Amino acid sequence: FSGTTSSIHFSSRITENGCSPTGLSLEDEDNLRFELSKVDDEIQTLRQVLFAKEKYAADIRRQLGMSPLSNIKQNLSKGWQEVQTSAPYLTASATLDDISHSNVYMRTRDGLSHAGHVTSAALSGMGVALTRRLAEMRLTASVISEDNKCSVVVVFFFVCFFYNVLILNDHSIAEEGF
């Protein structure tokens, strides 16, 4: 493989009906087929060389004790470093940093945090009130029919479940400050 490319220019020939199916003379077509054959042979040679080099590199890695997994981790690490130093990443990072320090972002974050605290307090108060009411109902359970007792138990578990999910999760979100 010489590494040089040659450009071959061919003349086009029009047949007697005014149309040329390929636009090339027979001699030009033969020259192109020959050139294509040479290029295909060069591609095959390059594939064989590449395969031999890859096999040799794998043998060297094995001798160095480098497993395919460590090679993948190394490639991922190198790729991540390249991403972090790329211009688009640095631009996006700077933009996000600017946004997170903007007044609008700060006010929105503080407003959402406050809303979370207020919602949490309201739901907590509602949970306490429902718990008290259920406790009162339990004391008077002797006068409630069996169907209503089942309804009370279901409502009690429903309130306890949503109290745990909503209140406890809201506290963790509010404490993190988004």
Side-chain angles (χ1 to χ4, degrees), residues 17-146:
N17 66 1
C19 297
S20 171
T22 61
L24 300 172
S25 68
L26 290 176
E27 180 183 347
D28 291 343
E29 285 182 20
D30 287 341
N31 287 338
L32 281 177
R33 283 193 179 95
F34 177 74
E35 187 69 24
L36 178 61
S37 173
K38 283 181 12 183
V39 170
D40 284 340
D41 289 343
E42 289 173 356
I43 290 171
Q44 185 61 32
T45 302
L46 289 172
R47 283 185 181 144
Q48 291 170 350
V49 170
L50 179 62
F51 177 75
K53 297 259 183 196
E54 286 176 340
K55 188 175 178 182
Y56 180 62
D59 188 43
I60 291 173
R61 282 188 200 96
R62 185 186 50 75
Q63 290 176 3
L64 290 172
M66 297 170 63
S67 69
L69 182 58
S70 66
N71 192 21
I72 290 171
K73 288 191 322 191
Q74 183 182 11
N75 287 342
L76 286 174
S77 177
K78 182 180 176 186
W80 179 241
Q81 288 174 349
E82 289 174 359
V83 166
Q84 287 180 319
T85 58
S86 69
Y89 179 86
L90 293 173
T91 302
S93 179
T95 302
L96 288 174
D97 197 40
D98 291 345
I99 290 171
S100 68
H101 290 90
S102 71
N103 287 334
V104 172
Y105 175 82
M106 299 275 196
R107 288 193 316 249
T108 303
R109 185 194 66 204
D110 293 343
L112 289 173
S113 178
H114 178 71
H117 287 293
V118 169
T119 303
S120 177
L123 289 174
S124 178
M126 185 180 77
V128 169
L130 284 172
T131 304
R132 278 193 202 130
R133 178 66 180 136
L134 288 173
E136 291 171 8
M137 291 172 70
R138 188 174 40 169
L139 293 174
T140 61
S142 60
V143 293
I144 299 176
S145 70
E146 289 299 317

Side-chain angles (χ1 to χ4, degrees), residues 123-125 127-128 158-169:
L123 289 174
S124 178
V128 169
F158 176 76
V159 168
C160 290
F161 174 76
F162 280 103
Y163 175 77
N164 285 329
V165 170
L166 295 174
I167 301 303
L168 298 179
N169 285 343

